[in-house]
Amino acid sequence: MNILFYLVPKSEVMYLFEDYSLRQALEKMEYHKYSAVPMITRGGNYTGTLTEGDILWELKRRDLSSLHEAEDICIKSIKRKRDNQPVNVNCNIEDLVMTSMNQNFVPVIDDNGIFIGIVTRKSIIEYCYNQYKCHCEGKH
């Protein structure tokens, strides 16, 4: 099974450029209501995942007194607890399922490390459910 059937293309994904300020990241995440967002370079390479938790720990660490101060903090300098591991666009569905077990989305990259989109855990669960359903119906 080709994972491209489940891909949400980059053009439809909210992502952050790693040179954004913390304030820009907060505002985009609040607007889109996401708790974890892919980060990419201006050249399109996937570099990691920024989460609400990462932001909260950074705010605590820096003891910011206003949101205005967050304009001077580049998000690539924020310590991240864990980055969502990407898969190559040519990976098999089993690798995609295994990767999704510990993250709510799986970034998909091409052979050059360029971010091309994500596969959501929801779509992977739907795939697994449909496979299970077909398997069970085939036994009856």
Side-chain angles (χ1 to χ4, degrees), residues 3-140:
I3 70 167
L4 289 176
F5 289 115
Y6 304 98
L7 183 78
V8 178
K10 178 182 174 181
S11 62
E12 297 175 21
V13 172
M14 197 282 277
Y15 55 87
L16 303 168
F17 288 112
E18 68 176 2
D19 61 359
Y20 276 4
S21 71
L22 177 54
R23 182 172 181 165
Q24 287 173 302
L26 279 167
E27 289 172 350
K28 282 192 79 141
M29 290 174 77
E30 178 184 30
Y31 177 80
H32 291 281
K33 300 183 180 4
Y34 290 133
S35 60
V37 182
M39 288 180 14
I40 65 172
T41 65
R42 290 287 174 172
N45 291 83
Y46 173 74
T47 60
T49 305
L50 187 66
T51 68
E52 288 177 332
D54 298 333
I55 291 171
L56 288 171
W57 287 113
E58 186 70 15
L59 293 173
K60 180 183 184 285
R61 185 178 75 75
R62 291 185 184 249
D63 194 28
L64 301 182
S65 59
S66 76
L67 192 57
H68 179 70
E69 293 175 66
E71 293 173 4
D72 298 325
I73 301 167
C74 182
I75 62 171
K76 71 178 166 186
S77 70
I78 295 174
K79 185 174 189 248
R80 298 183 307 273
K81 183 176 179 182
R82 178 180 60 219
D83 289 319
N84 287 14
Q85 293 304 305
V87 296
N88 183 281
V89 67
N90 298 313
C91 82
N92 61 44
I93 196 76
E94 291 80 16
D95 291 337
L96 184 64
V97 170
M98 293 305 293
T99 303
S100 73
M101 291 176 74
N102 295 312
Q103 49 196 62
N104 55 357
F105 66 87
V106 179
V108 180
I109 58 175
D110 68 11
D111 291 336
N112 297 314
I114 302 297
F115 176 74
I116 61 170
I118 65 169
V119 177
T120 64
R121 186 164 44 197
K122 178 184 176 188
S123 65
I124 295 166
I125 291 170
E126 283 178 19
Y127 165 81
C128 292
Y129 174 74
N130 289 333
Q131 291 297 307
Y132 171 77
K133 199 165 115 180
C134 288
H135 179 73
C136 287
E137 289 172 357
K139 286 191 170 185
H140 292 102

